[in-house]
Amino acid sequence: MTEMRRFEGHGVLISGAARGIGAATARRLAEEGAQVLVTDVDLAEAERTAASIRERIGACAEAFVCDVGDRASVEAAVAYAVDAFGSLDVLVNNACGCTPDAPLFEDEPDEVWARDLDLTLTGAYRCCRAALPHLVASGRGAIVSIGSVNGIQDFGNHAYSAAKAGLTSLTRTLAGHAAARGVRVNLVAPGTVRTSAWEGRDADLAAVREVYPLGRVGEPEDIAAAVAFLASRDAAWITGTTLCVDGGLLAVNTGFRQAVRGHGDA
């Protein structure tokens, strides 16, 4: 458990927080003193995550059902957080949708495209819109969205990648709008992270690991640590930025280096 207490008394809302990166972020911020609202469409799993935080950390954590695809649901979650914690100081946009691509681009259904963009990009927009007045009122408001290296470089998944790229752009434009109101807006772009999406795919993860310069895939806690930094006062002079937490994936072409190894550098 971290000894830092950067979020003492802060009210935090995290979307898609029942498991994976969202749950790890809820635990990390709670360890640092935050009061955390674990929101998700899966209320039972969100309640288990919140209960685990209360039992293991002794922090204030509550669960609330929230569908980021529904404006009323988002507004209800924000109102609940403000009422429960007295303020909303940090919003973490983690909920997303990622549907496997059709074999041919021209066979992609409209509904798949629309769903992934709605959950990943428009869902974050809905959360930011509902939360922003409260983040302004707190005097220390911060938004951190979970993007992806997919929004920066081609790793497949057309709709998901386009949505994550849009979230990177929204981070910049909202940062410009919110700066004068005292709210910082940043984004973490993870590479491959070991979550339930990879369950039962150990061989695939082992193969993927080989392309990462640091020799491993990410863990949810790696991303949670980056979110905690950007949401904290340690990042008080940082806004509108994308922080890649990707084991060096975007910086180093590991495949190329391996191809020319023994033949001199190109």
Side-chain angles (χ1 to χ4, degrees), residues 9-81:
H10 285 55
V12 176
L13 188 155
I14 307 172
S15 69
R19 56 183 65 83
I21 291 171
T25 300
R27 288 191 295 269
R28 176 59 186 260
L29 298 185
E31 286 174 354
E32 295 202 37
Q35 305 168 93
V36 179
L37 187 63
V38 178
T39 77
D40 204 283
V41 291
D42 186 343
L43 180 58
E45 190 65 26
E47 287 177 335
R48 279 191 285 271
T49 297
S52 175
I53 290 171
R54 292 193 299 269
E55 293 165 7
R56 298 183 183 183
I57 302 172
C60 175
E62 298 193 33
F64 195 86
V65 66
C66 179
D67 176 3
V68 298
D70 179 77
R71 179 174 183 171
S73 181
V74 168
E75 291 178 346
V78 169
Y80 185 89

Side-chain angles (χ1 to χ4, degrees), residues 192-224:
T192 304
V193 177
R194 190 193 310 274
T195 65
S196 59
W198 291 90
E199 189 171 343
R201 300 172 60 190
D202 291 345
D204 291 338
L205 274 179
V208 167
R209 185 179 64 227
E210 297 302 314
V211 305
Y212 280 88
L214 289 182
R216 67 174 177 89
V217 299
E219 301 294 340
E221 291 75 17
D222 294 317
I223 312 308

Side-chain angles (χ1 to χ4, degrees), residues 228-244:
F229 164 66
L230 287 175
S232 77
R233 295 304 298 172
D234 286 342
W237 208 45
I238 301 175
T239 196
T241 196
T242 291
L243 175 59
C244 293

Side-chain angles (χ1 to χ4, degrees), residues 144-148 167-168 171 185-189 230 241-243:
V144 183
S145 296
I146 307 301
S148 173
L167 192 52
T168 301
T171 295
V185 187
N186 291 292
L187 180 140
V188 175
L230 287 175
T241 196
T242 291
L243 175 59

